[in-house]
Amino acid sequence: MARRIFLLSVVLLLVGPASMLSQTPSEGANEVWPEFTLNYDPIRKIGLVWAIRKETSDLTPEKTLETTATFIYRVKPFVRNALFDDDEHSNERNYMLSFAANYELTKSFGDSTTSIGHKVMFDVTPRYNLPGRFLIHNRTRFELRWTEGEKDFWFRNRMRLEHKIRIGKVRILPYATGEIIWTKGTGSWNRNVLSGGVELTIVRRRAMLDLNYQRKNCDTCSFADVNALGVNFNLFFGKR
């Protein structure tokens, strides 16, 4: 089962860019999703993250405001400096495996309805160091969610491939991701998310801008799929 999920993720990641180009955007489905994230590591093995973002709801075409609190525990460090320089802003890339617990509060608002949602998520993320300074993240997420008394369970598997490039003092990190999603409500792999972007280091170790394009696809939804430009400003504090 684990191998099947892994292979599905790899296939989705490889076909992602072609799929995003070949799918005709639906009218009214092009959006901008701003996000702000604070990262604090009291020690290298532990990360605390708080994020706030504006997106489109997973369940309706309405806009949603989301805030997420995350606790991360990292184990099995890579050999130091095997991938990145000492001034890398993220401790995540120095570890082969991490676990995370997340709580997310969402508020959807539209012309006719307003709803409050809750999510509790548990992540397991192994990382694989490839030749040529490439890194793969394979995040598996178990997600419990409830909105207005209705409960659901989502299982998500996301593959991310990234490669760090250094041009003089400028550090950029292009990446591509593919995620497949199984929902209990439908009993099927009815959703996927494809994205590509770049991380730009603004202040050494302390600030980073993530610019990305996302395509959210849903086979069983009655509303349009979403094409979004994501803009995420990150600040980093604590042990680097």
Side-chain angles (χ1 to χ4, degrees):
M1 179 64 177
R3 178 176 293 182
R4 180 182 177 187
I5 294 171
F6 182 87
L7 292 175
L8 282 172
S9 296
V10 171
V11 171
L12 188 58
L13 179 60
L14 292 176
V15 304
S19 298
M20 286 188 286
L21 291 174
S22 63
Q23 297 180 54
T24 303
S26 303
E27 184 178 354
N30 301 299
E31 303 174 359
V32 176
W33 292 352
E35 182 173 357
F36 176 68
T37 304
L38 288 176
N39 304 266
Y40 173 64
D41 292 356
I43 59 176
R44 290 186 182 272
K45 285 190 173 183
I46 293 178
L48 304 175
V49 182
W50 176 80
I52 185 168
R53 72 189 70 85
K54 183 180 179 182
E55 291 190 0
T56 296
S57 173
D58 292 324
L59 305 177
T60 70
E62 298 172 343
K63 301 299 181 289
T64 183
L65 187 65
E66 304 171 350
T67 181
T68 307
T70 302
F71 172 83
I72 302 170
Y73 180 70
R74 310 174 181 110
V75 296
K76 295 185 178 180
F78 283 115
V79 176
R80 188 165 178 77
N81 294 334
L83 275 176
F84 299 102
D85 302 326
D86 283 342
D87 60 347
E88 176 57 51
H89 57 256
S90 173
N91 285 328
E92 292 293 300
R93 298 183 177 97
N94 295 320
Y95 287 82
M96 299 172 60
L97 179 65
S98 64
F99 301 91
N102 316 264
Y103 169 74
E104 184 171 290
L105 176 66
T106 67
K107 181 177 181 180
S108 297
F109 46 92
D111 296 334
S112 58
T113 61
T114 299
S115 62
I116 302 296
H118 306 269
K119 301 177 188 177
V120 176
M121 300 164 281
F122 301 95
D123 302 344
V124 180
T125 307
R127 298 176 182 85
Y128 307 96
N129 179 4
L130 301 180
R133 295 168 66 87
F134 285 90
L135 184 65
I136 288 180
H137 307 248
N138 184 204
R139 187 191 72 184
T140 298
R141 169 170 287 182
F142 304 89
E143 182 175 309
L144 304 172
R145 49 170 60 201
W146 60 98
T147 304
E148 302 298 317
E150 296 186 5
K151 299 180 181 179
D152 202 357
F153 170 77
W154 289 24
F155 176 81
R156 315 169 71 120
N157 188 257
R158 187 188 75 181
M159 185 74 68
R160 169 172 165 141
L161 175 66
E162 61 184 42
H163 176 60
K164 186 175 181 181
I165 301 173
R166 180 173 178 174
I167 304 175
K169 294 184 178 180
V170 178
R171 297 167 179 83
I172 61 175
L173 192 146
Y175 65 87
T177 72
E179 182 175 35
I180 52 176
I181 304 172
W182 182 89
T183 63
K184 183 180 179 182
T186 63
S188 64
W189 298 91
N190 64 318
R191 296 171 181 265
N192 64 73
V193 182
L194 308 172
S195 68
V198 60
E199 294 182 1
L200 305 173
T201 299
I202 300 175
V203 179
R204 180 178 174 179
R205 297 193 181 192
R206 297 303 177 186
M208 180 267 289
L209 184 66
D210 182 351
L211 302 174
N212 59 79
Y213 170 82
Q214 300 183 47
R215 169 77 179 187
K216 290 176 67 174
N217 304 298
C218 178
D219 297 334
T220 57
C221 297
S222 59
F223 49 89
D225 293 332
V226 178
N227 300 279
L229 175 64
V231 182
N232 183 8
F233 181 66
N234 284 258
L235 292 178
F236 297 88
F237 300 95
K239 187 70 174 179
R240 312 282 356 127

